[in-house]
Amino acid sequence: MKRVFLETYGCQMNVADSELMAGVLERGGIELVDSAEAADAVLLNTCAIREHAEQRVLGRLGDFARIKRTTNPRLVVGVAGCMAQHLRAKLLDHARVLDLVVGPDGYRDLPELLRRAAGEPVTQVRLDRDETYGDLEPRRGGGVRAWVTVQRGCDKFCTYCVVPYTRGRERSLPLDDLVRQMRHAVAQGYRELVLLGQTVNSWRDGEHDFADLLRAADAVEGVARVRFTSPHPSDFSDRVIAAMAECERVMPQVHLPLQSASNRVLEAMSRTYTIEAYDALVRRLRAAIPGLALSTDLIAGFPGETDAEFGETLAYLRQVRWDSAFLFKYSARPDTKAFRIPETLTEDEKTARLERLIDAQHRISGEIHDGWIGREAEVLIEGRGRKEERQLFGKSAEFKTVILPDDGSAPGDLRRVRIVGATPITLFGEPVDAPRPGPLVSIAG
Ligand code: SAM
Ligand code: SF4
């Protein structure tokens, strides 16, 4: 077992988990390669949040079955992550293709599991209330942004969501481990730290709370920017708002999932807050942090959602004016409580509701972006445009993608630009400052 091809599906947490796995594999003497054809084993890091995500992975297993049949019968095929945990029994039906099924708490022993799986099928899906991987250094990917997992699992048990079942109970990594990891990432050249957790603002390690963690991240020498995702509205304390307002490097941006603006639906989802409480929190955040950019997650078509209840969500979307939103159609997930609530809408009806949310949000994002024209923004340069060679792209403090002419700035540089054009997705800027020397250390990757 010398070469592994690792493919990642799903959320940022999975990207961070793949970096953790990459670190474990490298320390175990295993090289990461970039195709299944060049590998002794393939490992899919999977997502179970919606049915569609699972179907993509099952389709991909068909590709590997073909490689096994035709060119490399000894190829070890593994499924890791949320789907491994969620579908362990069903996945074993694919036993002719699959050699390894490993859940989110089994990554510490990955080299050993892969070696064993070359001989006989292996399943490791035990959830571990204590595993945080806090002592393990991830092998981070390229770019200017380091994803730092500060918390694993989730205790909220929203009735539609499979995460507490696939990732287990909430666990926070200790502050000392996190400060060490963050310093290391910045010393490697990463300019931005993004703290990750399913309810990241409920992070606590016995002595410290999330406000302390934000202040510790802000104090890491050499860091340019700090962000976090996703906070839960019920865990947003005034201490955290004060830390955001006071810490210069904590960016004025919050992704604050709402899911629905109907109190009856929120209750049926077990979200633990009302729309009035969410709105009061938005007001507190906007008052404390001038220029704050806000985004959200919404689910269209939760079982039993009436036309009027959907209308409440659409009306609130227009009222609160998020900068952007991730909009989802409800997907029934086995094991969750909502799975037992009969669905009341057809797929087409759910799609129609989703499309109304998308249209309304698109218009608002466009209006907000048009309002940026003529204003200045600070952009952290990430790289060259994919389509247009002579363009650079990066993110503003508000986490908006900004495209600017290539004037030789390097990834990791901070540039001031004047916004001269906008679409609902992107801003276009012209530099207003002279290029500065890049960071003192080279960019990782
Ligand atoms: N922990 C985060 C939170 O609660 O804000 C989000 C975790 S989840 C990976 C991201 C989003 O997926 C959720 O905020 C929700 O909008 C959506 N989601 C989760 N379960 C879903 C389901 N069964 N159907 C549709 N969307 C779902
Ligand atoms: Fe899922 Fe709710 Fe936990 Fe988010 S807070 S991961 S939606 S159970």
Side-chain angles (χ1 to χ4, degrees), residues 10-13 47-51 153-154 156 158-163 197-200 229-233 255-259 269 271 273 296-300 302 326-333 336 338:
C11 65
Q12 222 46 62
M13 193 73 84
C47 168
I49 200 85
R50 282 168 290 274
E51 195 185 348
C154 181
K156 289 284 192 283
C158 302
T159 57
Y160 52 80
C161 184
V162 80
V163 168
Q198 293 296 350
T199 57
V200 69
T229 197
S230 288
H232 192 285
H255 181 70
L256 192 62
L258 172 65
Q259 315 302 356
M269 290 175 163
R271 281 296 286 182
Y273 52 83
T296 201
D297 293 344
L298 296 174
I299 298 177
F302 186 77
F326 292 114
L327 304 168
F328 306 105
K329 199 161 58 161
Y330 173 73
S331 170
R333 307 283 52 223
T336 63

CSV table of all heavy atoms in Angstrom, one decimal, residues 10-13 47-51 153-154 156 158-163 197-200 229-233 255-259 269 271 273 296-300 302 326-333 336 338, ligand 1:
chain,number,residue,atom,x,y,z
A,10,GLY,N,-18.8,17.2,-0.5
A,10,GLY,CA,-19.5,17.8,0.6
A,10,GLY,C,-18.9,19.0,1.1
A,10,GLY,O,-18.3,19.8,0.4
A,11,CYS,N,-19.2,19.3,2.4
A,11,CYS,CA,-18.9,20.6,3.0
A,11,CYS,C,-17.5,20.8,3.3
A,11,CYS,O,-16.6,20.0,3.2
A,11,CYS,CB,-19.8,20.7,4.3
A,11,CYS,SG,-19.2,19.5,5.6
A,12,GLN,N,-17.2,22.1,3.8
A,12,GLN,CA,-15.9,22.5,4.2
A,12,GLN,C,-15.3,21.6,5.3
A,12,GLN,O,-14.1,21.3,5.3
A,12,GLN,CB,-15.9,23.9,4.7
A,12,GLN,CG,-14.8,24.7,4.2
A,12,GLN,CD,-14.5,24.5,2.7
A,12,GLN,OE1,-15.4,24.8,1.9
A,12,GLN,NE2,-13.4,24.0,2.4
A,13,MET,N,-16.2,21.1,6.1
A,13,MET,CA,-15.7,20.2,7.2
A,13,MET,C,-15.1,18.9,6.6
A,13,MET,O,-14.1,18.4,7.1
A,13,MET,CB,-16.9,19.8,8.0
A,13,MET,CG,-16.6,19.1,9.3
A,13,MET,SD,-16.0,20.3,10.5
A,13,MET,CE,-17.5,21.0,11.1
A,47,CYS,N,-20.4,12.6,1.8
A,47,CYS,CA,-21.4,13.5,2.4
A,47,CYS,C,-22.7,12.8,2.4
A,47,CYS,O,-23.1,12.1,1.4
A,47,CYS,CB,-21.4,14.8,1.6
A,47,CYS,SG,-22.8,15.8,2.1
A,48,ALA,N,-23.5,12.9,3.5
A,48,ALA,CA,-24.8,12.2,3.5
A,48,ALA,C,-25.9,13.2,3.7
A,48,ALA,O,-27.1,12.8,4.0
A,48,ALA,CB,-24.8,11.2,4.7
A,49,ILE,N,-25.7,14.5,3.6
A,49,ILE,CA,-26.6,15.5,4.0
A,49,ILE,C,-27.9,15.5,3.2
A,49,ILE,O,-29.0,15.7,3.8
A,49,ILE,CB,-25.9,17.0,4.0
A,49,ILE,CG1,-26.7,17.9,4.9
A,49,ILE,CG2,-25.8,17.5,2.7
A,49,ILE,CD1,-26.3,17.8,6.4
A,50,ARG,N,-27.8,15.3,1.9
A,50,ARG,CA,-29.0,15.2,1.1
A,50,ARG,C,-28.8,13.9,0.2
A,50,ARG,O,-27.7,13.5,0.0
A,50,ARG,CB,-29.1,16.4,0.2
A,50,ARG,CG,-29.7,17.6,0.9
A,50,ARG,CD,-29.6,18.9,0.2
A,50,ARG,NE,-28.2,19.3,0.1
A,50,ARG,CZ,-27.6,20.0,1.0
A,50,ARG,NH1,-28.3,20.4,2.1
A,50,ARG,NH2,-26.4,20.4,0.9
A,51,GLU,N,-29.9,13.4,-0.3
A,51,GLU,CA,-29.9,12.1,-1.0
A,51,GLU,C,-29.0,12.2,-2.3
A,51,GLU,O,-28.3,11.3,-2.6
A,51,GLU,CB,-31.3,11.7,-1.4
A,51,GLU,CG,-31.5,10.3,-1.8
A,51,GLU,CD,-32.9,9.9,-2.3
A,51,GLU,OE1,-33.8,10.8,-2.1
A,51,GLU,OE2,-33.0,8.9,-2.9
A,153,GLY,N,-18.6,16.9,15.4
A,153,GLY,CA,-19.9,16.4,15.8
A,153,GLY,C,-20.9,17.5,16.0
A,153,GLY,O,-20.6,18.7,15.8
A,154,CYS,N,-22.1,17.1,16.5
A,154,CYS,CA,-23.1,18.1,16.7
A,154,CYS,C,-24.2,17.5,17.7
A,154,CYS,O,-24.5,16.4,17.6
A,154,CYS,CB,-23.9,18.5,15.4
A,154,CYS,SG,-25.2,19.7,15.7
A,156,LYS,N,-27.2,19.2,18.4
A,156,LYS,CA,-28.4,19.9,18.2
A,156,LYS,C,-29.6,19.1,17.8
A,156,LYS,O,-30.7,19.3,18.0
A,156,LYS,CB,-28.2,21.1,17.2
A,156,LYS,CG,-27.4,22.3,17.8
A,156,LYS,CD,-28.2,23.1,18.8
A,156,LYS,CE,-27.5,24.4,19.2
A,156,LYS,NZ,-26.4,24.2,20.1
A,158,CYS,N,-31.3,18.8,15.0
A,158,CYS,CA,-32.3,19.3,14.1
A,158,CYS,C,-33.0,18.1,13.5
A,158,CYS,O,-32.4,17.2,13.0
A,158,CYS,CB,-31.8,20.3,13.1
A,158,CYS,SG,-30.8,21.6,13.9
A,159,THR,N,-34.4,18.2,13.4
A,159,THR,CA,-35.1,17.0,13.0
A,159,THR,C,-34.9,16.5,11.6
A,159,THR,O,-35.1,15.3,11.3
A,159,THR,CB,-36.6,17.1,13.3
A,159,THR,OG1,-37.1,18.3,12.5
A,159,THR,CG2,-36.9,17.4,14.7
A,160,TYR,N,-34.4,17.4,10.7
A,160,TYR,CA,-34.1,17.0,9.3
A,160,TYR,C,-32.7,16.5,9.1
A,160,TYR,O,-32.4,16.0,8.0
A,160,TYR,CB,-34.4,18.2,8.4
A,160,TYR,CG,-33.6,19.4,8.8
A,160,TYR,CD1,-32.3,19.6,8.5
A,160,TYR,CD2,-34.2,20.4,9.6
A,160,TYR,CE1,-31.5,20.6,9.0
A,160,TYR,CE2,-33.5,21.5,10.1
A,160,TYR,CZ,-32.1,21.6,9.8
A,160,TYR,OH,-31.4,22.7,10.2
A,161,CYS,N,-31.8,16.6,10.1
A,161,CYS,CA,-30.4,16.5,9.8
A,161,CYS,C,-29.8,15.2,10.2
A,161,CYS,O,-30.0,14.8,11.4
A,161,CYS,CB,-29.7,17.7,10.4
A,161,CYS,SG,-28.0,17.8,10.1
A,162,VAL,N,-28.9,14.7,9.4
A,162,VAL,CA,-28.3,13.4,9.7
A,162,VAL,C,-26.9,13.6,10.4
A,162,VAL,O,-26.4,12.6,10.9
A,162,VAL,CB,-28.1,12.7,8.3
A,162,VAL,CG1,-26.9,13.2,7.5
A,162,VAL,CG2,-28.1,11.2,8.4
A,163,VAL,N,-26.4,14.8,10.5
A,163,VAL,CA,-25.1,15.1,11.0
A,163,VAL,C,-24.8,14.5,12.4
A,163,VAL,O,-23.8,13.8,12.6
A,163,VAL,CB,-24.7,16.5,10.9
A,163,VAL,CG1,-23.4,16.8,11.7
A,163,VAL,CG2,-24.5,17.0,9.5
A,197,GLY,N,-16.8,24.4,12.6
A,197,GLY,CA,-17.6,23.5,13.5
A,197,GLY,C,-19.0,23.6,13.1
A,197,GLY,O,-19.5,24.5,12.5
A,198,GLN,N,-19.8,22.5,13.4
A,198,GLN,CA,-21.2,22.5,13.0
A,198,GLN,C,-22.0,23.5,13.7
A,198,GLN,O,-22.9,24.1,13.2
A,198,GLN,CB,-21.8,21.1,13.3
A,198,GLN,CG,-21.2,20.0,12.4
A,198,GLN,CD,-21.5,20.2,10.9
A,198,GLN,OE1,-22.3,21.0,10.5
A,198,GLN,NE2,-20.9,19.4,10.1
A,199,THR,N,-21.6,23.8,15.0
A,199,THR,CA,-22.2,24.9,15.7
A,199,THR,C,-21.0,25.6,16.4
A,199,THR,O,-20.9,25.6,17.6
A,199,THR,CB,-23.3,24.5,16.7
A,199,THR,OG1,-22.6,23.5,17.6
A,199,THR,CG2,-24.4,23.8,16.1
A,200,VAL,N,-20.2,26.3,15.5
A,200,VAL,CA,-18.9,26.6,15.9
A,200,VAL,C,-18.8,27.5,17.1
A,200,VAL,O,-17.9,27.5,17.9
A,200,VAL,CB,-18.1,27.3,14.7
A,200,VAL,CG1,-18.7,28.6,14.3
A,200,VAL,CG2,-16.6,27.3,14.9
A,229,THR,N,-17.3,29.4,10.6
A,229,THR,CA,-18.5,28.9,10.1
A,229,THR,C,-18.8,27.5,10.6
A,229,THR,O,-17.8,26.8,10.9
A,229,THR,CB,-18.5,28.9,8.5
A,229,THR,OG1,-19.8,28.9,8.0
A,229,THR,CG2,-17.6,27.8,7.9
A,230,SER,N,-20.1,27.1,10.8
A,230,SER,CA,-21.3,27.9,10.9
A,230,SER,C,-21.7,28.1,12.4
A,230,SER,O,-21.8,27.2,13.1
A,230,SER,CB,-22.4,27.2,10.2
A,230,SER,OG,-22.3,27.1,8.9
A,231,PRO,N,-22.0,29.4,12.7
A,231,PRO,CA,-22.5,29.6,14.1
A,231,PRO,C,-24.0,29.2,14.1
A,231,PRO,O,-24.7,29.2,13.1
A,231,PRO,CB,-22.4,31.1,14.3
A,231,PRO,CG,-22.5,31.6,12.9
A,231,PRO,CD,-21.9,30.6,12.0
A,232,HIS,N,-24.5,28.8,15.3
A,232,HIS,CA,-25.9,28.5,15.5
A,232,HIS,C,-26.5,29.8,16.2
A,232,HIS,O,-26.0,30.3,17.1
A,232,HIS,CB,-26.1,27.3,16.4
A,232,HIS,CG,-27.5,26.8,16.4
A,232,HIS,ND1,-28.5,27.5,17.1
A,232,HIS,CD2,-28.1,25.8,15.8
A,232,HIS,CE1,-29.7,26.8,16.9
A,232,HIS,NE2,-29.4,25.8,16.2
A,233,PRO,N,-27.7,30.2,15.7
A,233,PRO,CA,-28.3,31.5,16.2
A,233,PRO,C,-28.5,31.4,17.7
A,233,PRO,O,-28.3,32.4,18.4
A,233,PRO,CB,-29.6,31.6,15.5
A,233,PRO,CG,-29.4,30.9,14.2
A,233,PRO,CD,-28.5,29.7,14.5
A,255,HIS,N,-22.0,33.9,8.5
A,255,HIS,CA,-23.0,33.0,7.9
A,255,HIS,C,-23.9,32.5,9.0
A,255,HIS,O,-23.4,31.7,9.9
A,255,HIS,CB,-22.3,31.8,7.2
A,255,HIS,CG,-23.2,30.9,6.5
A,255,HIS,ND1,-23.9,31.3,5.4
A,255,HIS,CD2,-23.6,29.6,6.8
A,255,HIS,CE1,-24.7,30.2,5.0
A,255,HIS,NE2,-24.5,29.2,5.9
A,256,LEU,N,-25.2,32.9,9.0
A,256,LEU,CA,-26.1,32.6,10.1
A,256,LEU,C,-27.3,31.8,9.6
A,256,LEU,O,-28.3,32.4,9.2
A,256,LEU,CB,-26.5,33.9,10.7
A,256,LEU,CG,-27.2,33.9,12.1
A,256,LEU,CD1,-26.3,33.3,13.1
A,256,LEU,CD2,-27.6,35.3,12.5
A,257,PRO,N,-27.2,30.5,9.6
A,257,PRO,CA,-28.3,29.7,9.0
A,257,PRO,C,-29.6,29.9,9.8
A,257,PRO,O,-29.7,29.9,11.0
A,257,PRO,CB,-27.9,28.2,9.2
A,257,PRO,CG,-26.4,28.3,9.2
A,257,PRO,CD,-26.1,29.6,10.0
A,258,LEU,N,-30.7,30.2,9.0
A,258,LEU,CA,-32.0,30.4,9.6
A,258,LEU,C,-32.9,29.1,9.3
A,258,LEU,O,-33.6,28.7,10.2
A,258,LEU,CB,-32.7,31.6,8.9
A,258,LEU,CG,-34.2,31.8,9.3
A,258,LEU,CD1,-34.3,32.1,10.8
A,258,LEU,CD2,-34.8,32.9,8.5
A,259,GLN,N,-32.9,28.6,8.2
A,259,GLN,CA,-33.7,27.4,7.7
A,259,GLN,C,-35.2,27.7,7.4
A,259,GLN,O,-35.6,27.3,6.3
A,259,GLN,CB,-33.7,26.2,8.8
A,259,GLN,CG,-32.3,25.9,9.4
A,259,GLN,CD,-31.3,25.5,8.4
A,259,GLN,OE1,-31.5,25.4,7.2
A,259,GLN,NE2,-30.0,25.3,8.9
A,269,MET,N,-38.7,21.7,13.3
A,269,MET,CA,-37.3,21.4,12.9
A,269,MET,C,-36.4,21.3,14.2
A,269,MET,O,-35.2,21.0,14.1
A,269,MET,CB,-36.7,22.5,12.0
A,269,MET,CG,-37.2,22.6,10.6
A,269,MET,SD,-36.5,24.1,9.8
A,269,MET,CE,-36.8,23.7,8.1
A,271,ARG,N,-35.2,23.9,15.9
A,271,ARG,CA,-34.1,24.8,15.8
A,271,ARG,C,-33.8,25.6,17.0
A,271,ARG,O,-32.9,26.3,17.1
A,271,ARG,CB,-34.4,25.7,14.6
A,271,ARG,CG,-34.1,25.1,13.2
A,271,ARG,CD,-32.6,24.7,13.0
A,271,ARG,NE,-31.8,25.9,12.8
A,271,ARG,CZ,-30.5,25.7,12.5
A,271,ARG,NH1,-29.9,24.6,12.5
A,271,ARG,NH2,-29.7,26.8,12.3
A,273,TYR,N,-34.9,28.4,18.3
A,273,TYR,CA,-35.1,29.8,18.3
A,273,TYR,C,-36.3,30.2,17.6
A,273,TYR,O,-36.8,29.4,16.8
A,273,TYR,CB,-33.9,30.6,17.8
A,273,TYR,CG,-33.5,30.1,16.4
A,273,TYR,CD1,-34.1,30.6,15.2
A,273,TYR,CD2,-32.5,29.2,16.2
A,273,TYR,CE1,-33.8,30.1,14.0
A,273,TYR,CE2,-32.1,28.7,15.0
A,273,TYR,CZ,-32.8,29.2,13.8
A,273,TYR,OH,-32.5,28.7,12.6
A,296,THR,N,-27.0,33.1,4.8
A,296,THR,CA,-27.8,32.1,5.5
A,296,THR,C,-28.0,30.8,4.8
A,296,THR,O,-27.5,30.7,3.6
A,296,THR,CB,-29.2,32.7,5.8
A,296,THR,OG1,-29.8,32.0,6.9
A,296,THR,CG2,-30.1,32.6,4.6
A,297,ASP,N,-28.6,29.8,5.4
A,297,ASP,CA,-29.1,28.6,4.8
A,297,ASP,C,-30.6,28.6,5.0
A,297,ASP,O,-31.1,28.8,6.1
A,297,ASP,CB,-28.6,27.3,5.5
A,297,ASP,CG,-27.1,27.1,5.3
A,297,ASP,OD1,-26.4,27.7,4.5
A,297,ASP,OD2,-26.5,26.3,6.1
A,298,LEU,N,-31.3,28.2,3.9
A,298,LEU,CA,-32.8,28.0,4.1
A,298,LEU,C,-33.2,26.6,3.4
A,298,LEU,O,-32.6,26.2,2.5
A,298,LEU,CB,-33.5,29.1,3.3
A,298,LEU,CG,-33.4,30.5,3.8
A,298,LEU,CD1,-34.1,31.5,2.8
A,298,LEU,CD2,-34.0,30.7,5.2
A,299,ILE,N,-34.2,26.0,4.0
A,299,ILE,CA,-34.7,24.8,3.4
A,299,ILE,C,-36.1,25.0,2.9
A,299,ILE,O,-37.0,25.5,3.7
A,299,ILE,CB,-34.7,23.6,4.5
A,299,ILE,CG1,-33.3,23.3,5.0
A,299,ILE,CG2,-35.4,22.4,3.9
A,299,ILE,CD1,-33.2,22.3,6.1
A,300,ALA,N,-36.4,24.7,1.7
A,300,ALA,CA,-37.7,24.8,1.1
A,300,ALA,C,-38.4,23.5,1.2
A,300,ALA,O,-37.9,22.5,0.8
A,300,ALA,CB,-37.7,25.3,-0.3
A,302,PHE,N,-40.0,21.8,3.9
A,302,PHE,CA,-40.0,20.8,5.0
A,302,PHE,C,-41.4,20.2,5.1
A,302,PHE,O,-42.4,20.8,4.8
A,302,PHE,CB,-39.7,21.6,6.3
A,302,PHE,CG,-39.5,20.8,7.5
A,302,PHE,CD1,-38.4,20.1,7.7
A,302,PHE,CD2,-40.5,20.7,8.4
A,302,PHE,CE1,-38.2,19.3,8.8
A,302,PHE,CE2,-40.4,19.9,9.6
A,302,PHE,CZ,-39.2,19.2,9.8
A,326,PHE,N,-27.4,30.0,0.9
A,326,PHE,CA,-27.4,28.6,0.4
A,326,PHE,C,-28.9,28.1,0.5
A,326,PHE,O,-29.4,28.1,1.6
A,326,PHE,CB,-26.5,27.7,1.1
A,326,PHE,CG,-25.0,28.1,0.9
A,326,PHE,CD1,-24.3,28.6,2.0
A,326,PHE,CD2,-24.5,28.0,-0.3
A,326,PHE,CE1,-22.9,28.9,1.8
A,326,PHE,CE2,-23.1,28.3,-0.5
A,326,PHE,CZ,-22.4,28.8,0.5
A,327,LEU,N,-29.5,27.8,-0.6
A,327,LEU,CA,-30.9,27.4,-0.6
A,327,LEU,C,-31.1,26.0,-1.0
A,327,LEU,O,-30.5,25.5,-2.0
A,327,LEU,CB,-31.6,28.4,-1.6
A,327,LEU,CG,-31.4,29.8,-1.3
A,327,LEU,CD1,-31.9,30.7,-2.4
A,327,LEU,CD2,-32.1,30.2,0.0
A,328,PHE,N,-31.8,25.2,-0.2
A,328,PHE,CA,-31.9,23.8,-0.4
A,328,PHE,C,-33.4,23.3,-0.4
A,328,PHE,O,-34.2,23.9,0.3
A,328,PHE,CB,-31.2,23.0,0.8
A,328,PHE,CG,-29.8,23.4,1.0
A,328,PHE,CD1,-29.5,24.2,2.1
A,328,PHE,CD2,-28.8,23.0,0.2
A,328,PHE,CE1,-28.1,24.6,2.3
A,328,PHE,CE2,-27.5,23.4,0.4
A,328,PHE,CZ,-27.2,24.2,1.5
A,329,LYS,N,-33.6,22.3,-1.2
A,329,LYS,CA,-34.9,21.6,-1.2
A,329,LYS,C,-34.8,20.5,-0.1
A,329,LYS,O,-33.8,19.8,0.0
A,329,LYS,CB,-35.0,21.0,-2.5
A,329,LYS,CG,-36.4,20.7,-3.0
A,329,LYS,CD,-36.5,20.5,-4.5
A,329,LYS,CE,-35.5,19.4,-5.0
A,329,LYS,NZ,-35.9,18.9,-6.3
A,330,TYR,N,-35.9,20.4,0.7
A,330,TYR,CA,-35.8,19.4,1.8
A,330,TYR,C,-35.6,18.0,1.2
A,330,TYR,O,-36.2,17.6,0.2
A,330,TYR,CB,-37.2,19.4,2.5
A,330,TYR,CG,-37.3,18.2,3.5
A,330,TYR,CD1,-36.6,18.2,4.7
A,330,TYR,CD2,-38.1,17.1,3.2
A,330,TYR,CE1,-36.6,17.2,5.6
A,330,TYR,CE2,-38.2,16.1,4.1
A,330,TYR,CZ,-37.4,16.1,5.3
A,330,TYR,OH,-37.5,15.0,6.1
A,331,SER,N,-34.7,17.3,1.8
A,331,SER,CA,-34.4,15.9,1.4
A,331,SER,C,-34.6,15.0,2.6
A,331,SER,O,-33.9,15.2,3.6
A,331,SER,CB,-33.0,15.9,0.9
A,331,SER,OG,-32.5,14.5,0.7
A,332,ALA,N,-35.5,14.0,2.5
A,332,ALA,CA,-35.8,13.2,3.7
A,332,ALA,C,-34.6,12.2,3.9
A,332,ALA,O,-34.1,11.6,3.0
A,332,ALA,CB,-37.0,12.3,3.4
A,333,ARG,N,-34.1,12.2,5.1
A,333,ARG,CA,-32.9,11.4,5.5
A,333,ARG,C,-33.3,10.3,6.5
A,333,ARG,O,-33.7,10.6,7.6
A,333,ARG,CB,-31.8,12.3,6.1
A,333,ARG,CG,-31.4,13.5,5.3
A,333,ARG,CD,-30.5,13.2,4.1
A,333,ARG,NE,-31.0,12.2,3.2
A,333,ARG,CZ,-30.2,11.3,2.7
A,333,ARG,NH1,-28.9,11.2,3.0
A,333,ARG,NH2,-30.7,10.4,1.8
A,336,THR,N,-33.4,10.2,10.7
A,336,THR,CA,-33.7,11.5,11.4
A,336,THR,C,-35.2,11.4,11.8
A,336,THR,O,-36.0,10.6,11.3
A,336,THR,CB,-33.6,12.7,10.4
A,336,THR,OG1,-34.5,12.5,9.3
A,336,THR,CG2,-32.1,12.8,9.9
A,338,ALA,N,-37.5,13.8,11.3
A,338,ALA,CA,-38.4,14.3,10.3
A,338,ALA,C,-38.7,13.2,9.2
A,338,ALA,O,-39.7,13.3,8.5
A,338,ALA,CB,-37.8,15.5,9.6
B,1,SAM,N1,-24.4,22.9,11.2
B,1,SAM,C1,-24.8,23.9,10.3
B,1,SAM,C2,-26.0,24.7,10.8
B,1,SAM,O1,-26.8,24.1,11.4
B,1,SAM,O2,-26.1,25.8,10.5
B,1,SAM,C3,-25.1,23.4,8.9
B,1,SAM,C4,-24.8,22.0,8.6
B,1,SAM,S1,-25.4,21.4,7.1
B,1,SAM,C5,-24.0,20.6,6.5
B,1,SAM,C6,-25.7,22.7,6.0
B,1,SAM,C7,-27.1,23.0,5.6
B,1,SAM,O3,-27.6,21.9,4.9
B,1,SAM,C8,-28.0,23.2,6.8
B,1,SAM,O4,-27.9,24.5,7.3
B,1,SAM,C9,-29.4,23.0,6.1
B,1,SAM,O5,-29.8,24.2,5.5
B,1,SAM,C10,-29.0,22.0,5.0
B,1,SAM,N2,-29.6,20.7,5.3
B,1,SAM,C11,-29.3,19.8,6.3
B,1,SAM,N3,-30.1,18.7,6.3
B,1,SAM,C12,-30.9,18.9,5.2
B,1,SAM,C13,-31.9,18.1,4.6
B,1,SAM,N4,-32.3,16.9,5.1
B,1,SAM,N5,-32.6,18.5,3.5
B,1,SAM,C14,-32.2,19.7,2.9
B,1,SAM,N6,-31.2,20.5,3.5
B,1,SAM,C15,-30.6,20.1,4.5
